[in-house]
Amino acid sequence: QVQLVESGGGSVQAGGSLRLSCQASGLTFGNYDMDWYRQAPGKEREFVARIKRSGDSTNYADSVKGRFTISRDNGKSTVFLQMNSLKPEDTAIYFCHTVRVFPRAEYWGQGTQVTVSS
């Protein structure tokens, strides 16, 4: 079965950096676009970043543009999120996500906590 396992979360001060990883298994990784989402306490889950299956196209939420970078290593079935210049409002649980188009299925990781203190 498909599994997405995030790691790399933690606690940092504002202005610091973290690098999240998501290890995928149970799928042909290079055939899937990959996303990062996040959910802050009391808020809905929101899109953060996406990378196309080939790695040559990315897009970001406006709130993280210029600070976060999504990348992938198809040989290691891993997607990364480099987060720089972190702000307290980046505090959330970060989730790895992908979708199989047909038959449609949606996959989420268990999430990794990121806490940014001011």
Side-chain angles (χ1 to χ4, degrees):
Q1 71 277 21
V2 175
Q3 284 192 314
L4 303 175
V5 179
E6 301 95 335
S7 61
S11 297
V12 295
Q13 290 193 327
S17 298
L18 284 173
R19 189 191 195 208
L20 306 184
S21 299
C22 171
Q23 175 74 55
S25 60
L27 73 169
T28 304
F29 186 73
N31 290 347
Y32 288 77
D33 299 343
M34 298 297 299
D35 310 315
W36 286 97
Y37 281 74
R38 67 186 181 186
Q39 188 166 19
K43 295 189 176 181
E44 293 189 355
R45 195 170 294 189
E46 65 174 3
F47 169 78
V48 175
R50 173 171 293 133
I51 186 166
K52 291 291 190 179
R53 61 199 67 187
S54 62
D56 61 354
S57 178
T58 59
N59 61 293
Y60 298 90
D62 287 344
S63 58
V64 306
K65 276 182 186 174
R67 300 188 298 121
F68 290 12
T69 302
I70 188 171
S71 61
R72 65 190 296 158
D73 183 337
N74 285 350
K76 295 183 178 179
S77 298
T78 303
V79 61
F80 305 98
L81 186 68
Q82 177 67 43
M83 306 186 295
N84 298 329
S85 302
L86 282 161
K87 304 175 181 180
E89 51 263 44
D90 294 319
T91 294
I93 301 173
Y94 283 71
F95 298 90
C96 187
H97 171 264
T98 193
V99 173
R100 185 182 63 200
V101 175
F102 185 82
R104 183 167 177 85
E106 193 170 16
Y107 303 105
W108 293 93
Q110 83 289 349
T112 186
Q113 176 70 49
V114 171
T115 303
V116 184
S117 58
S118 57

